[in-house]
Amino acid sequence: MVRGLHLSALLLCATAVHAQAPEAHDHAAHQRAAPPADPSPVVVPLDAAARATLTRHTVEATAHGQTLRCEGVSLAALLQSSGAMPDAPLRGAHLDRYVLVSARDGYRAVFSLGELDATLGNRGVYLVDRCDGAPLDADNGPLRLLVPDDTRPARGVRQVERITIIAAP
């Protein structure tokens, strides 16, 4: 009889643990799969009015053996002013977001929001509209993305047509 009770108690405990395990698992999965902080995708306005209130920077970068001295706005500031990136240090759901920069000719480059955040990557990326004292020509503009600290200019996008913020799947 004692042996039967012991086995019954063991089965009862195992059933209770098994019944609790899915709830604990579901809770952990819910924490990892929290809904995004903002809608996705978000298209960032690039018009002159969207850039007019932002601080302008002079940026030097080398592209294809040519040193450029350009003027424009910080990509992070543009994203923040449009509401696509928070002003506060990134955390949580914003850390899975990336910036897709698309050009008129089909060229594209990607940056993570964390890479642009001043408290994380602090990468200097600039959307410029003037180089060497003149507006960009049709081959390079009207907008161009420059990443002065990249070793190669591969993420420097000419003819920028669209900037989109996307939450990673």
Side-chain angles (χ1 to χ4, degrees):
M1 175 95 169
V2 172
R3 186 174 184 194
L5 282 174
H6 181 66
L7 183 57
S8 295
L10 184 60
L11 287 173
L12 183 59
C13 287
T15 303
V17 169
H18 180 70
Q20 290 177 355
E23 290 175 13
H25 177 71
D26 289 346
H27 180 68
H30 177 71
Q31 286 179 338
R32 283 191 305 274
D38 294 316
S40 174
V42 175
V43 177
V44 177
L46 300 178
D47 59 302
R51 295 177 282 122
T53 60
L54 301 177
T55 301
R56 291 190 58 87
H57 300 269
T58 300
V59 182
E60 280 194 20
T62 302
H64 309 292
Q66 180 183 12
T67 299
L68 304 169
R69 185 172 172 84
C70 302
E71 301 169 34
V73 300
S74 157
L75 179 59
L78 179 66
L79 300 179
Q80 289 169 344
S81 72
S82 72
M85 178 177 172
D87 293 336
L90 293 184
R91 58 180 34 95
H94 287 104
L95 292 173
D96 80 347
R97 294 181 173 267
Y98 61 94
V99 182
L100 175 63
V101 181
S102 304
R104 187 171 59 238
D105 65 1
Y107 194 81
R108 300 186 306 172
V110 172
F111 300 84
S112 73
L113 277 191
E115 181 175 13
L116 302 175
D117 181 272
T119 66
L120 294 173
N122 200 25
R123 171 73 60 177
V125 180
Y126 301 91
L127 186 66
V128 301
D129 55 8
R130 300 179 63 82
C131 285
D132 301 322
L136 295 176
D137 60 23
D139 288 341
N140 292 298
L143 299 171
R144 181 176 187 162
L145 199 73
L146 291 179
V147 190
D149 293 333
D150 273 1
T151 304
R152 291 185 310 114
R155 296 191 300 173
V157 180
R158 296 178 300 126
Q159 304 172 345
V160 172
E161 183 174 70
R162 175 177 286 184
I163 296 178
T164 310
I165 308 301
I166 302 167

